[in-house]
Amino acid sequence: MSKPTEITATQRPAPAEAAKPQEARYQAAALPPEHGACSARGVERLYPLMLRERGVEGRVVLRVQVDEQGRAAEVVVQGGSGWRLLDEAARQVALSCPFQPARRGDQRVSSWVEYPVQFALGRAVQ
């Protein structure tokens, strides 16, 4: 005669771990690899001719609100160059280039980043 097979109840899964609120990791907005080339082209294209001819160079520090799609939604001059035309050109550069949006877990979120733009004769530096 064979031994009866012992039947054990299967263990029920623990209450869903996902039910516990876990903090979503935050990843700040960033400049994607192609951003540097875009920025250099923008500086070259938007460098005001009048200032270029006069030999004027400058650095503009911007605060850029990057939306969920990676576009510059708002651009504020944080540290101006002293030249209104350069400051406005820098704003236009930021508006024309892509960004990587910030993330909270898997969700894209809007956030602010600091973005310096350098106008230099003979080279586009950032």
Side-chain angles (χ1 to χ4, degrees):
M1 211 176 202
S2 65
K3 290 184 176 179
T5 306
E6 188 174 309
I7 301 174
T8 59
T10 58
Q11 210 175 17
R12 295 188 106 175
E17 293 294 319
K20 293 181 183 177
Q22 295 181 4
E23 284 188 39
R25 288 189 64 127
Y26 180 79
Q27 181 180 358
L31 307 178
E34 68 272 13
H35 189 89
C38 178
S39 183
R41 283 190 310 272
V43 166
E44 182 64 29
R45 184 174 42 100
L46 295 166
Y47 202 143
L49 183 59
M50 180 180 76
L51 297 180
R52 188 189 304 245
E53 288 173 346
R54 291 182 180 179
V56 174
E57 298 180 323
R59 181 173 194 258
V60 183
V61 179
L62 304 169
R63 283 194 32 86
V64 179
Q65 183 182 25
V66 178
D67 69 12
E68 295 84 359
Q69 286 74 42
R71 294 183 300 248
E74 186 176 344
V75 181
V76 177
V77 175
Q78 181 175 323
S81 64
W83 298 91
R84 185 185 52 78
L85 289 174
L86 279 187
D87 295 351
E88 183 54 34
R91 282 180 29 58
Q92 293 305 313
V93 170
L95 289 167
S96 69
C97 290
F99 293 84
Q100 286 180 340
R103 292 183 174 273
R104 184 167 286 120
D106 290 337
Q107 183 180 5
R108 293 176 177 196
V109 294
S110 177
S111 69
W112 289 86
V113 296
E114 187 174 283
Y115 174 49
V117 179
Q118 181 74 36
F119 292 91
L121 298 171
R123 64 195 189 290
V125 180
Q126 194 178 320

